[in-house]
Amino acid sequence: VDLVESGGGSVQAGGSMRLSCAASGNVDSRDIMGWVRQAPGKKREGVAAIGRDGDTYRESLKGRFLISRDNAKNTLYLQMNILNAEDTAMYYCAAGSKYYSLQESDYPYWGQGTQVTVSS
């Protein structure tokens, strides 16, 4: 499975951004896909995950971030609203989990990441 993220860049605080992740290869629509981010000097943290039966979010991001998936296009999305400086991070697309997990260890497949920078 290959994952390619896009949509990152720079945005001012309060703005919005949508990330995309195009999946190719042996993609199973039953598997969970998710987003994980890593801020400078910090550990990776799960952002959101989505499967056929629902989704889950990091508690602190609920209401601002929205994960969605287009199985026909094998594409995962992350809509991010009301961005602030703490959202500055490298955002990674991940796939292949069997659980609605925000733990990076549950995902065998990873993209290269896309940088999101929020300026105040």
Side-chain angles (χ1 to χ4, degrees):
V1 175
D2 292 318
L3 304 172
V4 179
E5 302 96 335
S6 61
S10 298
V11 64
Q12 289 192 331
S16 298
M17 184 176 285
R18 189 176 83 154
L19 305 181
S20 300
C21 171
S24 61
N26 189 22
V27 181
D28 189 336
S29 63
R30 295 170 296 179
D31 286 345
I32 310 301
M33 295 185 73
W35 291 95
V36 175
R37 70 183 184 182
Q38 185 170 22
K42 296 186 177 180
K43 294 181 180 179
R44 287 188 182 184
E45 61 180 23
V47 172
I50 188 169
R52 292 196 305 180
D53 298 324
D55 52 37
T56 188
Y57 294 87
R58 190 171 194 80
E59 190 67 29
S60 60
L61 300 177
K62 285 183 178 179
R64 289 198 302 121
F65 285 22
L66 179 67
I67 190 171
S68 61
R69 181 175 179 175
D70 186 335
N71 287 326
K73 296 181 179 180
N74 283 337
T75 302
L76 180 72
Y77 302 98
L78 183 68
Q79 177 68 42
M80 305 183 293
N81 300 317
I82 317 176
L83 288 162
N84 58 63
E86 292 182 349
D87 296 317
T88 293
M90 184 71 79
Y91 284 74
Y92 297 91
C93 172
S97 176
K98 302 301 181 185
Y99 312 101
Y100 284 89
S101 173
L102 298 181
Q103 300 297 321
E104 62 173 303
S105 59
D106 287 329
Y107 292 90
Y109 306 112
W110 290 81
Q112 294 299 309
T114 185
Q115 177 67 39
V116 173
T117 302
V118 184
S119 58
S120 56

